[in-house]
Amino acid sequence: IPTDGIVTEGRSSVDESMATGESMPVERAVGDEVIGSTINKQGLLQVKATKVGKDTFLSQVIKMVEESQGSKVPIQEFADKVTGYFVPAVILIALIAFVSWTLFPGFFIPIVEFFNFPWSNVGLPLFSLALLSTIAVLVISCPCALGLATPTAIMVGGGLGAENGILIRKGEAIQTMKNVKIIAFDKTGTITKGKPEVTDIILFKDITEGDLLLYGGSLEAASEHPLGAAIVERAKKDGLDLFRVDEFSSVTGMGVQGVVNGKPVLVGSRKLMETNGIAYEEYSNVMEKLEDEAKTAMLIAVDGEMSGIVAVADTLKEDSVKAIAELEKMGLLTAMITGDNQRTANAIARNVGISRVLAEVLPDGKVDEIKKLQNEFGTVAMVGDGINDAPALKQANVGIAIGTGTDIAIEAADITLVRGELSSVISAIKLSNATFGKIKQNYFWAWFYNSLAIPAAFFGLLHPMIGAAAMATSSISVVLNSTLLKRIKIKPDYLD
């Protein structure tokens, strides 16, 4: 498939392993998005190009990986600061070695004779012995291994992540992720598929099901909310011709209102009805019953009177339950942030296994909820996919965007998951922990090597040539240790 686009005709299976890490081909039909550079396995697809050149998915992946590989994690900044003191200290040690050998040869020569290494030659002039020791200190302490410790691990880890559909945009996320105590999830499009369907239609007054869908669907057609789209889809499926809408307005977190066919219509929550002075209390039991079934009940008022309820349910993603269980097993708390009412949110949380529910949160309130979680738990990760999630993704210590979501959410996040499954969150955590673990190993061996080699060089036990070979070996060992990241298993256990 030459470039990103949308299928306009045909059906086929597409190998997207290059982009998502998913080995099994996926079905693609009319209306589905396809990714440039993936392989059409069978069938004929007609694709309308939507992105070309630097805007394509593959180009963005390359850009993100380059940004990640060029970024620094906090531990590297600390190492750079230490190196700033280390280099002058080594120069000072080398000068002390030269002066000490010149002034106190009787102290050093017996030590060299005791070990009697093949390269040792105490018969050389004193100046030569002092100079060899000084050069050996300088050569052996070259901080190449320290400089390679972080970038090599990030490069290999970033490549492994890209192969599995995990794009680490900011290197600091690798270190921060290991300290995460709780992961907050947006609901729609993250835990759920984001494609809700109408499940129940309940009538309250002398109105037909068709009319209720006609008024509700006509109003929601002017909205972009996925719950409203479910009503529109049902109305069109029933063959209804929608009316034009006048005076449309969206009330954030409550619903929509407007004039349909000359009649004022409201579609939304209890708060919307209360605001407009429309009584709904006698239908509360019906709404509560629907909400206990994890359905979102939307009240519809036509011409100033309650007319009915349309219940909509958004099905869980296939792996949501297993992924949440795995995260809890790893010792992480999970939370769900949603605009749904408390009853519906609790029902969904029970179904998926979420331990903490933050319900009835308006879009602009998600940032405040993340701040509260940070005050309570410390380090917080946020997983989301929508435009309204972008500020919360920025506020969180680690923002994780679902790659199937909006561009602004992806841009705001530290980590992007190409696939929409929550299993990728587990993989991202494992990848971050493994990468940071390699960075720590690299630093340990680099410092351990210097702590042994510099004293040996100071006392004349290392020839500069041996020191050069040892220094090169330490750098190679760091690179090889980083490449071992490729063997790390980052997929969740339940996918085996």
Side-chain angles (χ1 to χ4, degrees):
I1 297 174
T3 191
D4 297 2
I6 297 177
V7 177
T8 58
E9 188 177 317
R11 175 184 290 272
S12 182
S13 59
V14 178
D15 179 1
E16 296 186 346
S17 58
M18 176 278 299
T20 66
E22 178 57 55
S23 57
M24 294 298 293
V26 293
E27 290 294 319
R28 290 290 178 254
V30 176
D32 291 337
E33 293 184 354
V34 289
I35 301 170
S37 300
T38 56
I39 308 300
N40 180 22
K41 302 293 288 185
Q42 60 185 33
L44 180 65
L45 292 177
Q46 183 170 317
V47 178
K48 177 183 178 182
T50 55
K51 294 179 181 177
V52 295
K54 62 181 177 60
D55 296 324
T56 61
F57 171 84
L58 185 59
S59 296
Q60 292 301 310
V61 169
I62 294 170
K63 179 184 175 184
M64 289 180 186
V65 172
E66 287 175 346
E67 287 176 352
S68 170
Q69 293 174 344
S71 62
K72 289 186 177 182
V73 297
I75 193 173
Q76 184 179 0
E77 294 176 355
F78 171 75
D80 290 345
K81 186 178 291 185
V82 171
T83 303
Y85 294 101
F86 176 73
V87 172
V90 166
I91 294 173
L92 180 61
I93 292 171
L95 291 174
I96 293 173
F98 183 82
V99 172
S100 300
W101 268 89
T102 302
L103 298 179
F104 310 107
F107 174 77
F108 292 100
I109 290 176
I111 297 175
V112 177
E113 290 177 335
F114 174 80
F115 286 97
N116 194 29
F117 290 124
W119 54 82
S120 301
N121 185 1
V122 293
L124 293 172
L126 183 58
F127 177 80
S128 297
L129 291 174
L131 191 60
L132 284 172
S133 176
T134 302
I135 294 172
V137 169
L138 293 173
V139 170
I140 202 69
S141 60
C142 180
C144 297
L146 292 174
L148 291 169
T150 298
T152 53
I154 289 180
M155 185 172 292
V156 177
L160 178 62
E163 289 174 5
N164 288 272
I166 302 164
L167 307 177
I168 303 172
R169 300 187 69 246
K170 297 179 181 177
E172 58 262 33
I174 292 173
Q175 182 169 344
T176 308
M177 181 64 83
K178 73 180 182 63
N179 299 319
V180 167
K181 299 295 188 296
I182 185 169
I183 301 181
F185 294 89
D186 170 51
K187 183 191 70 113
T188 305
T190 303
I191 295 175
T192 64
K193 292 181 178 178
K195 296 181 179 179
E197 298 177 351
V198 173
T199 57
D200 302 87
I201 299 175
I202 300 169
L203 309 175
F204 293 153
K205 54 173 284 190
D206 188 19
I207 188 173
T208 65
E209 181 178 301
D211 284 343
L212 187 70
L213 285 173
L214 188 58
Y215 282 106
S218 297
L219 184 59
E220 288 288 3
S223 169
E224 294 182 354
H225 198 283
L227 296 179
I231 300 178
V232 176
E233 189 67 27
R234 176 60 183 271
K236 290 181 177 179
K237 184 179 179 181
D238 289 356
L240 301 175
D241 293 326
L242 301 180
F243 293 122
R244 175 184 169 181
V245 179
D246 297 312
E247 301 177 31
F248 173 84
S249 65
S250 175
V251 185
T252 304
M254 298 185 191
V256 291
Q257 58 190 15
V259 177
V260 179
N261 197 30
K263 297 180 180 180
V265 178
L266 302 172
V267 180
S269 65
R270 297 173 177 85
K271 289 181 180 179
L272 183 66
M273 301 303 154
E274 289 174 1
T275 303
N276 288 272
I278 296 176
Y280 65 88
E281 288 78 5
E282 60 181 296
Y283 310 115
S284 293
N285 290 338
V286 178
M287 293 190 71
E288 289 172 3
K289 180 177 179 297
L290 292 169
E291 290 162 355
D292 285 336
E293 297 171 357
K295 298 172 181 176
T296 300
M298 290 184 285
L299 295 164
I300 299 180
V302 179
D303 207 13
E305 295 184 15
M306 281 298 308
S307 300
I309 295 177
V310 174
V312 174
D314 189 3
T315 55
L316 296 174
K317 290 181 177 178
E318 285 79 2
D319 71 335
S320 289
V321 175
K322 291 181 179 179
I324 296 298
E326 183 84 3
L327 289 170
E328 295 274 352
K329 185 179 176 182
M330 292 167 68
L332 293 166
L333 294 174
T334 54
M336 181 176 72
I337 302 178
T338 177
D340 283 344
N341 64 76
Q342 193 71 50
R343 190 182 298 274
T344 302
N346 287 339
I348 294 171
R350 283 195 303 271
N351 291 340
V352 77
I354 292 282
S355 56
R356 188 182 182 103
V357 179
L358 305 171
E360 300 181 31
V361 180
L362 298 178
D364 57 356
K366 289 187 176 182
V367 171
D368 292 332
E369 294 300 331
I370 293 295
K371 288 180 179 178
K372 290 177 184 177
L373 291 175
Q374 288 171 326
N375 290 334
E376 184 174 352
F377 297 100
T379 309
V380 177
M382 167 75 183
V383 185
D385 71 318
I387 293 174
N388 61 329
D389 296 325
L393 291 171
K394 274 291 188 185
Q395 175 61 38
N397 300 93
V398 180
I400 304 174
I402 301 295
T404 53
T406 60
D407 289 344
I408 191 170
I410 293 171
E411 200 62 35
D414 304 304
I415 298 174
T416 300
L417 310 177
V418 176
R419 296 199 302 272
E421 295 89 349
L422 293 190
S423 60
S424 295
V425 177
I426 299 169
S427 297
I429 293 171
K430 288 186 174 182
L431 176 63
S432 296
N433 290 339
T435 303
F436 187 71
K438 283 297 177 188
I439 292 172
K440 290 197 296 183
Q441 289 174 20
N442 289 344
Y443 279 127
F444 170 79
W445 287 114
W447 286 115
F448 181 74
Y449 152 80
N450 279 319
S451 66
L452 292 180
I454 292 175
F458 184 90
F459 287 101
L461 302 177
L462 281 180
H463 191 279
M465 292 300 293
I466 302 296
M471 183 271 293
T473 301
S474 71
S475 298
I476 293 171
S477 67
V478 164
V479 174
L480 291 177
N481 188 47
S482 295
T483 59
L484 292 177
L485 265 174
K486 290 184 176 181
R487 298 184 178 182
I488 300 294
K489 176 182 175 293
I490 63 173
K491 285 190 176 180
D493 296 334
Y494 62 82
L495 291 180
D496 290 340

